[in-house]
Amino acid sequence: MQAVLNYPKIAVIRPQGFLNATNAFEFERDMTTALAQSGISILVVDLAAVESLDSAGLMALLSIHKLALSLGRGFQLWAVAPSIRIIFELTQLDRVFEIVDGEVELAAT
């Protein structure tokens, strides 16, 4: 289960639990839908509630990163737990993704 919050020009997705082969397609679809909305300039994925990430979840993130670049939109990962961050570091994807420490705190207007 994940929540999609919309702020002016920013879409925030907050996945929970496991991002794996079981739900990676749904996760990618939700991110694509959020990124494709008109007026959205950046997609933020808040990973604070994610407990584990497998290769399918990682591929979904990479796919959306590529889509965001092709659309000229931003893509950020927020609140990546140390147990998840190590995956990005081992795969050297911490150099690809913009990773922001802390949780997303945006004021809805």
Side-chain angles (χ1 to χ4, degrees):
M1 183 66 166
Q2 52 208 14
V4 177
L5 307 173
N6 288 307
Y7 298 93
K9 298 187 179 187
I10 301 171
V12 179
I13 294 185
R14 291 185 168 132
Q16 298 176 359
F18 304 99
L19 290 180
N20 55 32
T22 304
N23 59 12
F25 178 76
E26 177 186 352
F27 177 55
E28 184 174 346
R29 184 189 65 216
D30 291 347
M31 289 189 297
T32 301
T33 301
L35 195 58
Q37 293 177 23
S38 95
I40 296 297
S41 61
I42 186 167
L43 176 63
V44 173
V45 180
D46 181 352
L47 297 174
V50 172
E51 299 172 31
S52 98
L53 175 71
D54 76 358
S55 60
L58 196 57
M59 290 305 296
L61 289 169
L62 278 169
S63 175
I64 296 305
H65 180 265
K66 182 178 176 181
L67 177 62
L69 287 176
S70 71
L71 295 173
R73 298 185 178 169
F75 182 75
Q76 295 179 344
L77 303 178
W78 282 65
V80 180
S83 60
I84 304 295
R85 184 179 283 267
I86 193 80
I87 295 168
F88 292 103
E89 291 171 357
L90 289 171
T91 58
Q92 296 185 355
L93 290 173
D94 59 327
R95 298 176 185 177
V96 173
F97 292 110
E98 183 177 352
I99 300 174
V100 179
D101 292 328
E103 292 188 31
V104 176
E105 293 182 16
L106 300 169
T109 56

